[in-house]
Amino acid sequence: MTSENYFIGKTAEAISTLITKQCEVILTRNGVQAPVKSCSIIVTLYRLDGLSLNEIARETDSSPQLIKQKLPKLLKLSLIKHEDDSSDKRRRLFFLTDRGKLQAEKILETFQELELSMDRLNKHLGFRLSDKLEEIKRALNEVPLHSEAP
């Protein structure tokens, strides 16, 4: 086994960072002020306003812990607001503010430009990156690195 196999997580993280930074350039150019890694929350609340933390996590395919970490920044930026659920006082529901709705619209408009960028990258690669990443994710779930050899 070559040494680069031991550092595959580092490479995957570097790719994620590159994609995030490059998407940030496009989003910022289009007036999006929401953090790149929180855009899925904004778009989800735009489509399904009034969700609990767990519902946001489920809809964005994220962990509740990750969503919980991101919500304070969105509240501080006045993109979302929250209120207690009238039917269950233990639940807090999150909604977009008017400012958040405008940001969601800008994010959705920017998706068209991001799609063109991804199409160029996919053409350069010779495959659809999103398909390959999903394939890798499925494979890691089916054959975890920590599983014993057959």
Side-chain angles (χ1 to χ4, degrees):
M1 182 185 292
T2 60
S3 63
E4 60 264 9
N5 287 334
Y6 295 113
F7 303 111
I8 193 76
K10 183 176 172 78
T11 302
E13 189 174 328
I15 292 167
S16 175
T17 299
L18 268 172
I19 291 170
T20 299
K21 286 181 178 180
Q22 292 178 12
C23 286
E24 188 175 283
V25 170
I26 297 168
L27 288 162
T28 300
R29 185 173 58 219
N30 288 299
V32 175
Q33 297 163 339
V36 174
K37 291 187 175 185
S38 296
C39 287
S40 61
I41 296 171
I42 300 294
V43 170
T44 296
L45 287 174
Y46 186 72
R47 293 182 173 143
L48 303 167
D49 214 16
L51 298 176
S52 70
L53 183 144
N54 287 331
E55 290 167 333
I56 296 170
R58 186 172 47 252
E59 291 294 326
T60 59
D61 193 25
S62 302
S63 72
Q65 296 82 1
L66 183 62
I67 299 301
K68 190 174 184 176
Q69 290 173 2
K70 293 179 180 184
L71 293 178
K73 174 89 174 190
L74 297 176
L75 286 162
K76 186 175 181 182
L77 291 170
S78 299
L79 299 175
I80 64 170
K81 59 186 176 181
H82 59 78
E83 58 186 56
D84 291 335
D85 185 342
S86 59
S87 62
D88 183 350
K89 297 296 182 195
R90 296 171 296 171
R91 280 176 23 121
R92 180 173 279 172
L93 301 177
F94 294 89
F95 302 86
L96 287 180
T97 61
D98 289 340
R99 185 167 188 253
K101 290 174 186 172
L102 289 172
Q103 285 290 291
E105 290 167 1
K106 287 181 181 191
I107 292 166
L108 291 169
E109 290 168 10
T110 303
F111 280 175
Q112 293 173 342
E113 185 176 345
L114 289 169
E115 282 292 321
L116 291 173
S117 297
M118 287 305 301
D119 287 345
R120 281 194 310 274
L121 178 61
N122 291 336
K123 185 176 181 181
H124 178 79
L125 292 170
F127 59 83
R128 289 183 46 82
L129 180 60
S130 59
D131 292 346
K132 287 293 181 192
L133 292 173
E134 283 299 323
E135 182 181 336
I136 292 166
K137 188 169 106 177
R138 269 192 312 277
L140 283 167
N141 281 318
E142 292 169 10
V143 186
L145 296 177
H146 57 75
S147 62
E148 294 185 24

